[in-house]
Amino acid sequence: MAKQSSMASHASNLWVLLGLGIAGILLAAKKLKKTIREDFGAFIDKLLLLPPPQPAPPKAPHPLTGLSFAISDVFDVTGYVTGFGHPDWVRTHEAASSTCPVVSTLVEGGATCVGKTVVDELAFSISGENKHYESSTNPAAHDRIPGGASSGAAVAVATNAVDFALGIDTVGGVRVPAGYCGVLGFKSSQGAISNTGIIPVSSSLDSVGWFARDPNTLRRVGHVLLHLPFATQRNPRQIIVADDYFQLLKIPVDRITQVVTKSAEKLFGKQSLKHQSLENYIESKVPSLKEFTRTKAIANTKVPTSRLLANVMQLLQRHEFLQNHGDWINTVKPAIGPVISSQVCDNAELTNEEIENLNTIRNQTRVAINSLLKDDGVLVIPTMPTLPPKLGSKEIISEDYQNRASSLLSIASISGCCQVTVPLGHHEKCPVSVSFLARHGGDRFLLDTVQTMYASLQENSSIIADPKSSKKTISLEESAEIAKEKGNQAFKEKQWQKAIGLYSEAIKLSENNATYYSNRAAAYLEIGSFLLAEEDCTKAITLDKKNVKAYLRRGTAREMLGEYKEAMDDFRHALVLEPNNKRASLSAERLRKVFQYTLRESSPKMESKYYRCNGVLAFTKIGFPKLTFILNNGYRNSRSSSNQCEVRIRIKRGVNLAVRDINSSDPYVVVKMGKQKLKTRVINKDVNPEWNEDLTLSVTDPTLTVLLTVYDHDMFSKDDKMGDAEFEIKPYIEALKMHLDGLPSGTIVTTVQPCRRNCLAEESKVTWVDGKLVQDLVLRLRHVECGEVEAQLQWIDLPGSKGL
C-alpha cells in the first residue's frame, strides 16, 4: 500500500514538472513574440494616404511614383491624434484638422503613406526606448537600442516595410537611429523645410529628416521636399576630416577613416582630402563661447569646445521645449521618465542675457561652418561615439556617453547645417556609420555627394571589414561581368553617368565584348552624347554583326545627329535581323516619311545656298536644316604677318576626371585652334592631375574657338577620350583692346558668364595682374560622365609685331 502511494506521489511530481516546463516554454515563446513582432514594433498606427492619379502622357509621371513611406508620430494627419510618444498627450488633444504640408507634398509627389511610427517619449531623447509603448526592435542588432527620437521610422525602413520614412531631428533624432539601424538618414538644413503641422520639440533646432535604404531614393525624396529644380550634379572639391572628433570614438578609428579616405582619393584625388582640428577652428571663430564659460551655466572654464557646444545645444533644447510644452506639463502632470524629468524639470530657468548669448553662439557657429565648407566642401565626423548600447544598459544614461554623443551631434544642430548618416557595414555584429556635413543650405550638394560616393564607400567598407575578401582572385572576364551588372543596376536607377563609368570599366577589362559597348551607348543616349553613342554602337557592330540593339541605338543616335538616311539604314538592318521588331519598324517608317517630305520640299538638284556672317562662310543643304558645314573664308590669309601674335594657354589641372582604366586614368590634354594642335605630357594614374604646362598658339583669326580634349593614354590600344570643351578667346581679345596700362594689379576688367555657347563651369574673370592681362577658366568637359579642366590665358606679342 505504501509502495503504491509512493509511486503515485512520483507520478504526480512528474506531471507538475512537465506542466512547469510547458508553461516556461510558452512564456518564453510569448516573450520572444513580444520582443520581435511582425513589424519590429515600428508602427503605432496604420493608415493609407493615396497619391493623385498619374498625369496623362506626354507629361512625366509623379517623381515618387511607386514608393511607400511612413511618418513619425509628430506629423499631423487629418482625423488622427498626433501622439508625440505619450498616452497623456493623446488623451488631452483632439484629432488633427489638417495634414502636415510636408506629408501632403510627398503624397502629391506620387508616394503612398501607410502609417505612423513610434517616437521617443515627447520626442525628446535619442535612445529609442519609450516606457509608455513597446519600444521598436533594432532589426540590425536585436539586443541593442534602435536610437531615437524617430526610432520607429528608421526601423520601418530597415525592415523593408516602407521605401522611406519621415522623422524629426532636434539633437540627433534622425541621425542616431539611422546609424544604429544601418540605413541612410538625412537631416535637412534648419528652416529649409517648413515645420508647419509638426509638433515642435525645440523650434530653433528642429529639422525635418528622412530615412532610406539607398542614395537614389534619399535624393529623390530630398528633391521633392526641398522643391529643387533640375541642375547638374556637383562633386566636392574638399573632403575635410575632423581628426580630433574621431578621437571621441570607442571603436577603431581606422574602421571609418580608411573607408572615407580610400573612397575620396579614388573619386576626387588625394588633393581633395584635408585634415582639420575642428576644436581649434571653432574656438577661434566663435568668440562668444568664451563669454559662455563665464556664465553660471558653465562653471569649469577648461571644458573642451566640443563639450561647450553640446551644453549650448542641451540648454537651447530644454529652454525651447519648456516654452512650447511647459504649461501642458504643469497642467496635466504627465508621468515622465526620470531621464527627461531630470533634464526638463530639475533645472533653473535661463536669463534673457543667457538666452541672447546662446543665440549669438549659434549664429557665429553657422557662419564658421559655412566659411569652412563654402559651396563645395564636406565635413566628415563620426555619427555616434560607440556601437548601439544594449537595451536597458546603464551606458545610455552615463555622463561619458551623453557627453561624447552630444559633442558629435551638436555641430549640425547648433549651426543648422545639413548632415547625412551613411552606413559602413558592421563591427562586432553591430552597424557602424559615418556622417557628412555641408554648409547651411547645401542640401542638394550633400545629396549629390552621397549619390556619388555611396557605392565606393560600401565597397571599401567590405574590404576593410574583411581584408581576405579583397584577396580572392577572379578572372578579368568575371570582373568585367561584375562591372557590367553594376552598370545595369545604375542604368535602372537612372544614374546614367555612374553607369557609363561602370561600362567603361568593363570595356577596359574585356574590350572585345559587344554588349559592353552597346550598353554604354544606351547610357550615352540618355545624357545626349550622340556622337559617343554612335561610336560605341559602331564598335559593337564590328564585334557582333547580329547585335540588334546596337543597330537600334546607332539609328537613334544618327537620327538625333541629323543623319537621317544612315539612321534609316540602321533601322532597316535591325528589321532584317528581327523582322517583328516594332521599334525598328516604326522608326524606319517614320524616317522614310521625313526623308520623302524633305526631298519633295527641296528642288530636284538639291540646290545650295550660302551666306557670310562674322567672317565665316556657312553652307547649308536646303531641306536638311541640321546638316550645316562651316568653312573658313580666307580670313587667316587676309591678316598681315606683321600683326601675328600668340596666346599662351596654361593647362593647370584636371578635377575629378573620368576613370578609363580599372581604378584611374592616364590623362593628357590636346588643344586645337584652326589647324594648330598641341598637347601636354601624360600624367599616370591620376584623375586629378596637375599639369601646369604652357601651350602657345599663334593667333591670326581671333574669332576661332579653341577646342580642348582630354585623352586617356593606353599602351597597347587607341587612347580613350575623356571629354572635351570649347571656349572663345574673343572676350579676352576685346579686353586687350582697352589700353589698360596703369591699372592697379588685381583689377577685374570683365567677366564671362557660363552659357550654352561655352563650356564654362563657373564665371570666368579677365584680370589685370602685374602689367599683364590674364583670364582664368574652369571648363566643364562634355560628352563624358564627369570632369573639369582649369586653364589660364595670357597674351604674347611677337618681336616686331604690331600687336592688336
Side-chain angles (χ1 to χ4, degrees):
M1 190 78 175
K3 188 175 181 180
Q4 288 179 345
S5 175
S6 175
M7 289 177 64
S9 176
H10 282 303
S12 177
N13 289 338
L14 283 171
W15 280 109
V16 170
L17 289 171
L18 183 60
L20 288 171
I22 292 170
I25 292 169
L26 290 172
L27 284 170
K30 186 178 180 182
K31 184 177 180 181
L32 182 64
K33 186 178 179 181
K34 185 179 180 182
T35 303
I36 306 174
R37 289 169 288 171
E38 185 180 353
D39 63 1
F40 283 73
F43 289 90
I44 199 163
D45 267 320
K46 293 292 181 76
L47 52 88
L48 193 63
L49 300 180
L50 295 172
Q54 292 292 335
K59 289 185 177 180
H62 299 309
L64 302 179
T65 297
L67 298 181
S68 62
F69 74 104
I71 58 175
S72 295
D73 198 17
V74 293
F75 293 83
D76 286 345
V77 173
T78 303
Y80 290 83
V81 178
T82 308
F84 205 27
H86 204 293
D88 287 337
W89 185 275
V90 177
R91 180 175 57 82
T92 56
H93 286 79
E94 299 292 328
S97 58
S98 61
T99 297
C100 171
V102 172
V103 178
S104 298
T105 297
L106 294 171
V107 173
E108 289 164 7
T112 301
C113 181
V114 298
K116 285 192 167 193
T117 55
V118 173
V119 296
D120 283 21
E121 185 178 22
L122 304 179
F124 194 86
S125 74
I126 58 170
S127 71
E129 294 184 299
N130 188 329
K131 72 171 189 176
H132 305 289
Y133 300 100
E134 202 168 346
S135 298
S136 303
T137 301
N138 185 339
H142 296 170
D143 62 337
R144 307 278 178 151
I145 66 170
S150 306
S151 55
V155 170
V157 171
T159 56
N160 296 324
V162 291
D163 295 302
F164 67 94
L166 282 181
I168 192 74
D169 192 306
T170 306
V171 295
V174 167
R175 292 165 283 167
V176 176
Y180 282 173
C181 293
V183 296
L184 289 157
F186 193 91
K187 171 201 171 294
S188 62
S189 295
Q190 208 280 326
I193 300 173
S194 171
N195 286 347
T196 303
I198 305 172
I199 298 177
V201 180
S202 173
S203 304
S204 71
L205 301 179
D206 292 345
S207 295
V208 173
W210 56 97
F211 304 89
R213 290 184 297 277
D214 66 274
N216 188 43
T217 301
L218 192 81
R219 189 165 175 258
R220 285 169 65 189
V221 173
H223 279 230
V224 171
L225 288 178
L226 295 159
H227 304 286
L228 297 176
F230 173 80
T232 305
Q233 185 168 322
R234 293 192 300 127
N235 290 329
R237 292 195 177 185
Q238 275 199 323
I239 305 290
I240 303 171
V241 181
D243 290 331
D244 48 346
Y245 273 62
F246 275 94
Q247 299 310 310
L248 295 170
L249 277 176
K250 284 195 168 184
I251 62 173
V253 173
D254 288 348
R255 175 63 183 81
I256 295 176
T257 56
Q258 281 190 23
V259 175
V260 176
T261 299
K262 288 180 181 294
S263 296
E265 287 180 353
K266 176 183 177 181
L267 294 168
F268 314 121
K270 289 184 179 180
Q271 82 284 351
S272 66
L273 280 166
K274 178 182 176 183
H275 295 270
Q276 178 83 45
S277 172
L278 200 56
E279 286 262 348
N280 294 339
Y281 176 81
I282 292 175
E283 186 177 1
S284 65
K285 297 293 184 180
V286 187
S288 54
L289 274 174
K290 295 179 181 178
E291 179 63 28
F292 180 64
T293 61
R294 299 190 191 103
T295 67
K296 63 181 181 180
I298 303 294
N300 186 354
T301 57
K302 294 182 180 180
V303 174
T305 303
S306 58
R307 189 79 55 79
L308 291 176
L309 279 182
N311 286 332
V312 171
M313 178 183 74
Q314 291 163 347
L315 288 169
L316 278 170
Q317 181 195 19
R318 181 178 64 83
H319 170 72
E320 294 179 350
F321 180 85
L322 286 174
Q323 276 192 322
N324 291 320
H325 308 300
D327 289 343
W328 178 79
I329 291 173
N330 292 330
T331 303
V332 177
K333 301 190 183 323
I336 298 176
V339 175
I340 299 177
S341 180
S342 63
Q343 294 183 52
V344 172
C345 304
D346 300 341
N347 285 282
E349 286 293 320
L350 297 176
T351 65
N352 290 336
E353 183 181 357
E354 288 171 335
I355 295 168
E356 185 178 348
N357 191 33
L358 294 178
N359 288 325
T360 302
I361 292 170
R362 180 169 54 196
N363 294 334
Q364 289 180 356
T365 304
R366 177 176 295 183
V367 171
I369 298 298
N370 285 356
S371 177
L372 174 67
L373 300 179
K374 300 183 174 63
D375 288 336
D376 52 12
V378 169
L379 180 64
V380 183
I381 63 171
T383 306
M384 288 296 280
T386 68
L387 299 174
K390 290 188 175 182
L391 289 165
S393 71
K394 293 182 179 180
E395 180 186 1
I396 303 167
I397 59 174
S398 71
E399 185 178 353
D400 180 63
Y401 174 82
Q402 292 290 334
N403 286 337
R404 288 172 184 261
S406 297
S407 295
L408 293 172
L409 296 166
S410 62
I411 299 293
S413 289
I414 293 298
S415 68
C417 295
C418 49
Q419 178 175 334
V420 62
T421 299
V422 182
L424 295 181
H426 291 73
H427 179 73
E428 295 180 356
K429 299 182 179 180
C430 290
V432 291
S433 65
V434 69
S435 275
F436 296 156
L437 285 79
R439 66 168 179 82
H440 182 267
D443 302 70
R444 178 208 289 272
F445 167 67
L446 189 57
L447 288 166
D448 286 349
T449 299
V450 176
Q451 179 92 344
T452 301
M453 295 188 69
Y454 186 77
S456 179
L457 288 168
Q458 301 312 305
E459 179 183 352
N460 284 308
S461 175
S462 299
I463 292 171
I464 290 171
D466 182 14
K468 294 179 182 178
S469 65
S470 64
K471 297 177 182 178
K472 295 176 182 176
T473 56
I474 56 176
S475 67
L476 291 178
E477 289 75 14
E478 289 173 325
S479 298
E481 276 298 300
I482 291 170
K484 184 205 76 172
E485 290 303 321
K486 288 181 178 179
N488 291 348
Q489 184 59 38
F491 190 95
K492 288 177 183 177
E493 295 171 357
K494 299 185 179 181
Q495 300 177 48
W496 319 122
Q497 293 175 344
K498 181 180 176 182
I500 289 167
L502 289 164
Y503 292 141
S504 299
E505 185 176 332
I507 289 168
K508 284 289 181 184
L509 294 165
S510 180
E511 61 181 13
N512 293 322
N513 189 309
T515 300
Y516 302 162
Y517 290 97
S518 179
N519 286 7
R520 189 169 70 174
Y524 277 138
L525 287 173
E526 294 292 346
I527 64 172
S529 295
F530 304 121
L531 282 171
L532 292 175
E534 183 187 24
E535 286 179 16
D536 272 358
C537 290
T538 300
K539 180 66 175 179
I541 291 166
T542 303
L543 294 169
D544 179 7
K545 302 292 186 186
K546 295 183 179 181
N547 193 317
V548 175
K549 289 183 179 179
Y551 280 108
L552 291 172
R553 289 164 184 167
R554 190 171 70 173
T556 301
R558 286 175 167 176
E559 182 179 356
M560 298 306 296
L561 291 168
E563 299 170 2
Y564 302 121
K565 183 179 183 303
E566 292 81 356
M568 188 161 59
D569 289 343
D570 279 336
F571 291 129
R572 285 176 172 172
H573 203 111
L575 278 173
V576 171
L577 296 171
E578 279 188 15
N580 295 324
N581 191 300
K582 289 185 178 180
R583 178 183 166 190
S585 177
L586 291 172
S587 299
E589 180 62 20
R590 181 181 69 252
L591 281 175
R592 186 186 64 79
K593 291 178 180 178
V594 171
F595 200 67
Q596 285 181 344
Y597 174 79
T598 305
L599 290 172
R600 187 169 63 249
E601 290 297 307
S602 61
S603 66
K605 295 183 179 180
M606 286 295 293
E607 62 180 76
S608 304
K609 67 178 182 179
Y610 67 88
Y611 59 91
R612 291 181 182 270
C613 178
N614 295 328
V616 175
L617 178 67
F619 175 85
T620 306
K621 288 186 178 179
I622 299 175
F624 290 86
K626 287 189 178 181
L627 302 180
T628 304
F629 304 88
I630 307 298
L631 307 174
N632 194 300
N633 71 341
Y635 181 86
R636 170 190 288 275
N637 297 328
S638 70
R639 294 292 301 248
S640 167
S641 61
S642 65
N643 283 348
Q644 182 171 318
C645 301
E646 293 181 343
V647 65
R648 177 182 294 154
I649 303 177
R650 167 159 284 198
I651 307 299
K652 291 183 173 181
R653 65 183 65 85
V655 179
N656 191 28
L657 300 181
V659 173
R660 286 293 177 263
D661 298 326
I662 294 175
N663 292 315
S664 189
S665 296
D666 305 318
Y668 66 93
V669 174
V670 173
V671 173
K672 292 178 68 177
M673 186 171 74
K675 295 182 179 180
Q676 300 173 82
K677 182 176 179 181
L678 300 168
K679 74 174 186 177
T680 67
R681 69 189 187 280
V682 175
I683 295 183
N684 293 321
K685 298 187 184 303
D686 196 345
V687 292
N688 292 276
E690 297 269 354
W691 286 288
N692 289 317
E693 192 167 335
D694 292 336
L695 305 178
T696 303
L697 295 169
S698 297
V699 179
T700 56
D701 182 356
T703 64
L704 289 177
T705 58
V706 179
L707 175 65
L708 180 151
T709 308
V710 183
Y711 290 90
D712 171 47
H713 175 68
D714 286 323
M715 190 70 71
F716 303 109
S717 60
K718 183 181 176 182
D719 292 351
D720 297 319
K721 277 188 178 181
M722 297 170 63
D724 61 75
E726 262 187 331
F727 63 92
E728 297 177 331
I729 61 171
K730 189 175 180 181
Y732 179 76
I733 301 296
E734 294 299 323
L736 276 170
K737 295 178 181 179
M738 296 169 66
H739 305 295
L740 303 170
D741 293 340
L743 276 181
S745 181
T747 301
I748 297 173
V749 178
T750 187
T751 58
V752 183
Q753 299 296 330
C755 66
R756 292 188 178 184
R757 297 191 307 277
N758 59 44
C759 295
L760 293 174
E762 58 187 48
E763 182 181 75
S764 175
K765 295 181 175 64
V766 181
T767 312
W768 184 257
V769 180
D770 297 330
K772 295 179 181 179
L773 196 66
V774 298
Q775 180 178 0
D776 291 305
L777 307 115
V778 179
L779 301 167
R780 179 169 288 123
L781 298 175
R782 307 173 298 188
H783 309 128
V784 70
E785 58 268 27
C786 60
E788 295 176 358
V789 172
E790 296 180 11
Q792 186 184 75
L793 300 184
Q794 185 175 328
W795 190 259
I796 303 171
D797 278 330
L798 294 179
S801 73
K802 297 179 182 179
L804 288 171

